[in-house]
Structure formats: C-alpha cells, structure tokens
Amino acid sequence: MQNQGLPGSGQITVTPTKSESYKSLFKEKFVSLYEDIFALRSPLQTAKDQGIQGRVTIGRFWDELLLLKVNESFLSQCISKSSEEQLQDNLRPVINDLFATCVRYFDDDNFIRVAHALETLSILLREIFKKRFNEQGSTILTLVAGAVDNADNFFRRLINSIAALLVRDDVPVLVKSLGIKVYLTILTATPNVNTNTIASYFFVYNAFDGIAAVFNVKLSADRRELELDASLVLILLLLWRESSNPYAERLVSPAAPILPLLHTVASLFTPLDDIPQTENDILSSSSRTPNDGGLLGYLGSFFGIGSYIGDASSDGVSGLSGSKTLDVWWCNSSAGLVLLYFLFYLNPVVKSAQVWTSTSLNYAQGSAAPGQSAILVWSEILKSFLSISKAVVSELPASGVSGVLRAKLCFTIFRCMAEDRVASDFLLRCNSESYAVSQVPANGLVDMPFVIQFKSISSLLLELASSVLAVKPEGTSLLDADLFYRAAAVVCIILNSLKTKGLQLSSTSVNWFAVWDGLLRTCAWCGEEKNFQRPGVPELASLALGTVEMCLGSNPEIWAGADETERLHAVVMAHITSLEQLGQTAAASPYGEAARAPLRGRIQLVNVLAVKYHYEVQIAGLGVRGQPTMEQALLGVRKKGTSNLKLKSTHAGPGHSYTEGTSDLRMLNNLARAVLFENRKKFTAGTPKQELEAT
C-alpha cells in the first residue's frame, strides 16, 4: 500500500492496493445487488413487464450475480432480519425467484455459477427453516417452491439435478461438496429426520446413485473432503421409518455398492494423521491450493472453503456430550460406527464368507488377489473397530452421553456379529493379537471339545463386556440399564455359541473371573429396590442372572480345567447375599400381579441356590459369618469339592435374534444428531456472529 498526504490537510491516508480495492468492490457489488433485491428495486421487479427485453435483462442480471462470491453473512441476515409476515407477504415473490433460479442454474455450464447457486440455495433453506410460521410445512413449501402444488416438481428437479452432478466425473469436488451440503441442509431441518416433511421427497425421488458415486471418488484426499458429509446424508436417509425406505432396500440388495461403502468406513476409522500419502495424493492436494490457478484452486479460494469439517476445537454437543469437546476424529469415527451398523445389519454380503475370510488376516503386502479386495478392506475395518471399541469402553463414563451412545452402538454391532453364523465362527477362531485364524474343526473333535488357547476376538469381546458390567453406575445418570443389557447380551450369546459349537476358551484366552464378577455385580445393582424400578432393569436382571445360571449348569463345557469351575462357584458364593436380595426384590416388585408373574418366572435362583446349599456348611465351618470374601469362598469350595453337586442345564440369552427396535433407533438418531451438531460449521452453521462491515 502507498501512503499519500491529502493536499492542505496535513493528514496521511492509506490508499489500498489494486487487489484490495478489487476485493472490496467485489464484496460491495454482491451486497448492493442483494440490497436491491430485498428492497424490491432490482431488475427482477422492474424488468418483468418488458417482454423479451426484460427477460434478457433478468438473465444477464442472474448471470452476473451468480459469478460473485457469496457473502454468507449478509445473505443470512437478509432472511433472518425479515419477519415471518414479510417473508409470506411482499418478499414471497423474491424468495420464489431466488429458489427457482438457483435450481435452474444447477445445469449451467459454468461451474462457478453452479457452485454459487448451490451455496445460495443452502443458505436460504437454512435460514427459512429457522423461522416459525403458523403453518410451518405449507408455508415453507410455498416459499421454496412457489406453491404447495408445485413442490413435487421443484424437489424432483432439485434432488435429481444434484444427484446428476454427483455422478459426473468432470464436476469439481468442491461443487459436489456443496451439493451434498444442500442435501444435509434439507435433511437436518428438524432434529429427527422422521419429523421432516420435506425429507419425504428423498423417498419419492431416489438420490442413492448420486450419493454412492461420491464414495467412488478415486483420490483419497478428495474422498476425505466428501465422505463424512455423504455418509451423514446416507445415514439420515437410512434412519427414515415413516414409509418404505428405498435406500435401505438398496443396501439389502446383494448388488449394493458394498466395496466403496467399506472403503468409506475404513477411511472414516482412519485418524487424519495416519492417511497414507501416495504420490497421487500429494499431487492432487497441491493442485487444489489457491495459488494453483486451475479451477479447483480457484474455487477453493473463491468460496473460502478450507478443511471439510471445520476446526477441531469446535464446541461440544449441547446436551449430549456435557463439557467434553469433540473433534474431527470423533465425528469421523462416530459416523463410521453408524454406517458400519447399517452395513452389517442390512447387507447380506457383509455377513457372508465374501468378507469373513477363513485364512489369516496377516496378508502379504502387495496387490490383492481377484475377489479378495472386500476381505482385505474388512480386515482393516475390523481391526480399527476393535481398537475404537476398546477406547470407547475405557472412557466410560467420563466420555459423557455421546460416549455412552457410542458404547451402546459398539455392543449392538458386536451382538449382530456374534449372532451371525459365519461371523461368530470367525470371531471364535481368530487370534485378536496376531489376526491369524486357527483351523478349528467346525463341530469340534469327536470325543472332546476343542480348547482355544489363544485370545480370540470373542475373548476380547467378553472382556470388553465385563469391563462395562463392572462399571458402577452410582453417581451418574449417564449409564442406564440399556447399556448394561447390550453388554450382557453379547456375553450370553458368545457363551451359548461356545456351547453349541463344542468349543472351550482356556484361562489363558479370557479372564473368566472378570466375566462372572461383572455379571454378578450387575445382579447386585439390579437387586436394589430403587434400581429395580427403573426402566429396563428387570429385563437386565433376568438376562444377567440367567447367564450366571447357564454358566453354572454348563460347567465345565465352556471352559477347560477344574480350577475355573471352582472359581465360578466361589465367586457365586462371594455374591450370594446380593443374589438372594435380587430374588426377593423381584418377588416383591411393584409392577402388579399381571406383570409380576412372568417376571418371577424369569428371575429364579435355581443353580445359585444349589451352589449355596452345597457349600454353605463348609464355609461356615471356616468361621465365616454372612457373605464370604472371594478368598474365603474359594477355600471352602476347594475343601468341599464338587461331588454330588447337581445343577440344571439352562440356556440363557436375549431369547431372539437381534431386530431393530425403538431404543436402537433413538440411539442411532441421537448419535447422528451429535455428529451433525459438532460438524455444524460446515452444513448447519447458524447466522454468523460477526457483523457485516459497513460498506
């Protein structure tokens, strides 16, 4: 800049450079044009009655306006500062023109105009969704589409035009990102997508192919810019339950684009700092810098778009994460968990041998054999998923409500895997430390069960579940019966699977004491009258106690060695007072006779009481009064022995294969909301706090 004194003033002024003057003028032109639009004095109003000449004038006006960089702050204020009455009255034709024009320019040959049309439409939608109209649904449709009767045509063109942009290879990544942003803006108009009237148009006009095309972007650096937003769009669409869901139907189909989706989950599970940097990645990244001079670099500097998810130091999720500050990695991994759940729950390929390999996961470096790509990607997903699950469990309950939601989802996925025949067989046979598969006979050996000496993935799942069951929920309202039920369900499903397959887990492969102690601590917590009256606690008590009863009755079919049997009996005796309290609490439950009768049928101390009567005299003979410690109980059990102890073989478990229920949908929706809230700087940002500079 040059310093020049004004003649005769004695003052020094700063003359802006040519570049600064250009930028200032650039911004002012956008503001002045929109000031005219909302003041009803632009060519949009004055040229309408001038026939062909007027249409040419209006066309030139839009061509020029959509080449200008969008001033989000000012455009947001144009809507936010207008009252609901103004928007419905004299400003309605203006709003109609803006929306109609934006959608029309989605097909323009100039990608800058396309991008600005997408960005403008997204801002307008976002601000109008914030308004509170008397007739919210019909008023919004009238403003956006011109009339309720025209809404079908408007949203058909909007959804299909953006989907067409997403599938094109010649469309810049940043333009696709803005198209996904429009989808997200519509789908997040309400906290729950199922209460969003406008979202229903996505189930009339299917955008699955467009969204799936985003996952096919070849360069990893480009995919990182799109995959989170595109994943959230797909997740929100899969959460729809108000009518038939064509997106879920596509995932159920064996022809679903499973490999691109698996690559996306694997990428979401990969920390940003660990992304492999190939030569193509580096070249691609450098080609998008503002100084590049190409279209991508020009668009990046033009829109002011940086990283695709915003600052890692953004605010925590209000009401969901407490004081915990979430970050980019949390958003990515949480979205990956939800997407993984839908893939495993819906897609038959993910439950088949096409991804659950029967060979070692320690594959050699190099090109994958034909047909092995899905297996290799799935192996990486499984490793990352186990690592994330361990971290999620270790952070409870300090991770807040959002951490509890993640833990529930992890155990839900574990349950789906443990109940699947192909997956459960792999989980039992795969070493979780070396990821090498032991060739265990499918039905065990002829005369004796096959003893698994290594720490299988199922062993790891048992320990994760027992870690959750050992957490004391007192002092926090974040931990509820639903979390403990999901953990206990995984325990009993794995134990039943071991028994059915004729397999045993040795003491070196799993800490059985931690499993039993976790189940019994859960029974003790459920046995307290104030806890038993909470929602879901009776069902949790029935499951936890039923699993203990099954362990006693299945002795020693599930584990190898007499020592484990003695330790199981001892830990039961060490919790005998709490177990009896649970039985008494269940019998006196204030649920009424109709509900109490089946509850008593589920909570029965059969094998537990048999163990008590067998050892209580021996333990009392040691001078123990009341409930013994673990050491005292184990001493008495070893002195008495197990001879003549008769136990009843029982089967424990949730009673049915996993089916999605209300609690699952609530969990998925809340976790998706948490990710969306944290990532709102990209697609649900509020009106910018900074004031528009005087122009």
Side-chain angles (χ1 to χ4, degrees):
M1 292 185 295
Q2 299 174 353
N3 295 331
Q4 296 178 348
L6 293 177
S9 65
Q11 296 178 345
I12 297 178
T13 61
V14 178
T15 302
T17 64
K18 182 178 180 180
S19 175
E20 290 174 335
S21 298
Y22 176 75
K23 290 181 179 179
S24 176
L25 181 62
F26 203 55
K27 177 179 178 181
E28 290 175 359
K29 189 168 186 179
F30 178 93
V31 172
S32 64
L33 288 177
Y34 267 98
E35 283 178 341
D36 289 342
I37 290 174
F38 281 88
L40 306 180
R41 59 174 181 262
S42 71
L44 300 179
Q45 289 78 37
T46 59
K48 283 186 176 180
D49 299 328
Q50 298 177 9
I52 296 177
Q53 182 179 357
R55 289 196 294 272
V56 172
T57 300
I58 293 174
R60 290 174 177 172
F61 175 84
W62 285 120
D63 284 346
E64 180 182 359
L65 178 58
L66 289 174
L67 284 176
L68 302 178
K69 180 179 178 181
V70 177
N71 187 324
E72 180 179 1
S73 176
F74 180 79
L75 186 56
S76 297
Q77 291 177 29
C78 288
I79 303 298
S80 63
K81 291 184 177 180
S82 301
S83 66
E84 284 79 356
E85 291 74 16
Q86 289 176 314
L87 292 174
Q88 295 178 80
D89 189 14
N90 60 323
L91 289 180
R92 185 171 68 83
V94 172
I95 303 298
N96 292 161
D97 281 346
L98 285 171
F99 278 111
T101 302
C102 286
V103 173
R104 187 171 68 250
Y105 271 86
F106 290 172
D107 299 328
D108 196 84
D109 293 333
N110 188 314
F111 285 131
I112 294 177
R113 289 197 186 102
V114 175
H116 287 158
L118 289 166
E119 189 175 8
T120 299
L121 187 140
S122 181
I123 296 168
L124 294 174
L125 282 173
R126 186 188 70 209
E127 296 304 320
I128 287 177
F129 288 153
K130 293 179 182 179
K131 296 294 184 179
R132 293 294 176 262
F133 302 103
N134 292 331
E135 298 292 337
Q136 189 78 0
S138 60
T139 302
I140 289 178
L141 289 178
T142 301
L143 287 173
V144 172
V148 174
D149 294 340
N150 191 46
D152 282 345
N153 290 331
F154 176 86
F155 284 103
R156 173 183 56 80
R157 185 167 183 178
L158 184 152
I159 293 171
N160 291 343
S161 296
I162 293 177
L165 289 171
L166 296 177
V167 300
R168 287 172 54 182
D169 293 333
D170 62 326
V171 174
V173 170
L174 288 174
V175 174
K176 293 185 178 184
S177 179
L178 290 168
I180 290 292
K181 179 179 179 181
V182 173
Y183 280 174
L184 276 175
T185 304
I186 295 173
L187 293 172
T188 56
T190 59
N192 187 333
V193 70
N194 288 283
T195 62
N196 187 344
T197 304
I198 297 180
S200 63
Y201 288 103
F202 281 93
F203 302 91
V204 179
Y205 310 110
N206 197 320
F208 185 90
D209 290 334
I211 299 168
V214 172
F215 300 128
N216 275 314
V217 174
K218 295 180 176 58
L219 298 178
S220 62
D222 288 342
R223 184 165 54 241
R224 296 295 289 201
E225 295 180 7
L226 291 169
E227 63 190 0
L228 178 62
D229 290 358
S231 298
L232 288 171
V233 168
L234 183 57
I235 287 168
L236 290 170
L237 293 171
L238 291 171
L239 286 171
W240 179 265
R241 295 295 183 275
E242 293 301 300
S243 61
S244 61
N245 193 321
Y247 301 91
E249 292 170 2
R250 288 292 298 273
L251 276 190
V252 170
S253 169
I258 190 64
L259 194 56
L261 290 170
L262 289 177
H263 276 296
T264 298
V265 174
S267 181
L268 290 171
F269 281 166
T270 304
L272 299 181
D273 294 337
D274 295 341
I275 303 174
Q277 289 294 318
T278 65
E279 183 178 356
N280 287 336
D281 293 338
I282 297 172
L283 291 174
S284 170
S285 176
S286 63
S287 69
R288 290 192 301 275
T289 58
N291 296 326
D292 180 284
L295 180 59
L296 285 177
Y298 177 58
L299 289 175
S301 61
F302 211 58
F303 303 148
I305 295 177
S307 61
Y308 78 108
I309 193 171
D311 187 0
S313 62
S314 55
D315 297 335
V317 179
S318 176
L320 287 172
S321 65
S323 60
K324 181 177 176 58
T325 299
L326 306 181
D327 54 16
V328 174
W329 163 241
W330 188 93
C331 289
N332 280 279
S333 60
S334 296
L337 289 174
V338 180
L339 192 55
L340 175 62
Y341 163 81
F342 280 120
L343 286 178
F344 195 91
Y345 180 57
L346 294 174
N347 190 270
V349 174
V350 184
K351 301 177 184 179
S352 70
Q354 288 180 253
V355 295
W356 293 97
T357 177
S358 59
T359 58
S360 173
L361 290 184
N362 285 329
Y363 52 86
Q365 296 294 327
S367 301
Q372 295 296 305
S373 297
I375 293 175
L376 301 185
V377 176
W378 181 254
S379 68
E380 293 302 321
I381 290 175
L382 188 59
K383 294 174 186 177
S384 299
F385 175 50
L386 292 173
S387 177
I388 291 171
S389 300
K390 290 170 66 176
V392 167
V393 170
S394 66
E395 293 169 359
L396 291 173
S399 54
V401 175
S402 59
V404 174
L405 291 172
R406 281 160 58 95
K408 288 181 180 181
L409 182 54
C410 288
F411 281 105
T412 302
I413 298 172
F414 286 150
R415 175 176 174 178
C416 291
M417 291 179 177
E419 286 184 336
D420 181 76
R421 181 186 60 81
V422 175
S424 65
D425 185 58
F426 178 86
L427 296 176
L428 284 166
R429 296 186 296 109
C430 184
N431 191 324
S432 64
E433 296 178 352
S434 65
Y435 286 89
V437 177
S438 174
Q439 298 300 324
V440 180
N443 297 319
L445 301 181
V446 177
D447 298 324
M448 60 179 293
F450 190 94
V451 180
I452 298 176
Q453 301 288 348
F454 56 83
K455 186 181 290 295
S456 67
I457 296 180
S458 289
S459 301
L460 178 60
L461 301 190
L462 286 173
E463 294 184 0
L464 288 175
S466 60
S467 297
V468 171
L469 296 173
V471 175
K472 295 181 179 179
E474 290 82 358
T476 176
S477 60
L478 302 180
L479 304 181
D480 55 8
D482 187 42
L483 172 62
F484 298 107
Y485 186 92
R486 293 174 193 270
V490 170
V491 172
C492 62
I493 291 169
I494 292 177
L495 295 183
N496 280 321
S497 180
L498 280 170
K499 184 177 178 181
T500 302
K501 295 176 183 293
L503 303 177
Q504 291 179 338
L505 294 179
S506 68
S507 301
T508 59
S509 65
V510 63
N511 183 354
W512 286 113
F513 175 79
V515 176
W516 300 325
D517 190 61
L519 289 169
L520 291 167
R521 286 177 181 272
T522 300
C523 291
W525 180 76
C526 294
E528 298 180 16
E529 185 176 352
K530 64 178 182 179
N531 295 330
F532 197 81
Q533 299 177 16
R534 296 181 180 181
V537 173
E539 291 76 14
L540 171 61
S542 174
L543 177 60
L545 181 60
T547 306
V548 173
E549 288 277 325
M550 187 268 288
C551 287
L552 292 171
S554 299
N555 166 49
E557 298 172 44
I558 298 176
W559 51 85
D563 289 346
E564 296 304 327
T565 301
E566 293 175 346
R567 284 160 57 84
L568 171 59
H569 293 175
V571 73
V572 169
M573 292 301 297
H575 289 86
I576 195 64
T577 302
S578 299
L579 292 170
E580 291 180 315
Q581 176 63 40
L582 174 59
Q584 296 171 7
T585 302
S589 62
Y591 285 86
E593 287 298 329
R596 204 161 61 228
L599 189 61
R600 279 202 296 262
R602 295 197 303 268
I603 300 181
Q604 293 183 351
L605 307 179
V606 179
N607 290 333
V608 167
L609 291 180
V611 169
K612 174 192 175 185
Y613 298 147
H614 187 73
Y615 297 111
E616 61 180 351
V617 175
Q618 186 68 41
I619 293 176
L622 297 174
V624 177
R625 297 295 180 265
Q627 181 169 291
T629 63
M630 179 61 189
E631 291 75 13
Q632 293 170 335
L634 185 58
L635 181 60
V637 166
R638 287 175 175 170
K639 285 191 175 184
K640 176 69 174 179
T642 60
S643 300
N644 301 321
L645 174 58
K646 298 185 181 298
L647 298 170
K648 181 179 179 180
S649 180
T650 61
H651 180 91
H656 57 80
S657 297
Y658 172 79
T659 54
E660 200 176 72
T662 303
S663 62
D664 302 291
L665 292 175
R666 187 183 302 116
M667 168 193 65
L668 293 167
N669 186 66
N670 286 338
L671 187 54
R673 278 180 56 212
V675 180
L676 288 164
F677 189 92
E678 171 62 16
N679 199 32
R680 70 191 184 282
K681 290 184 178 180
K682 174 66 179 173
F683 51 82
T684 55
T687 303
K689 296 180 180 179
Q690 64 271 24
E691 294 295 330
L692 182 66
E693 296 181 1
T695 59

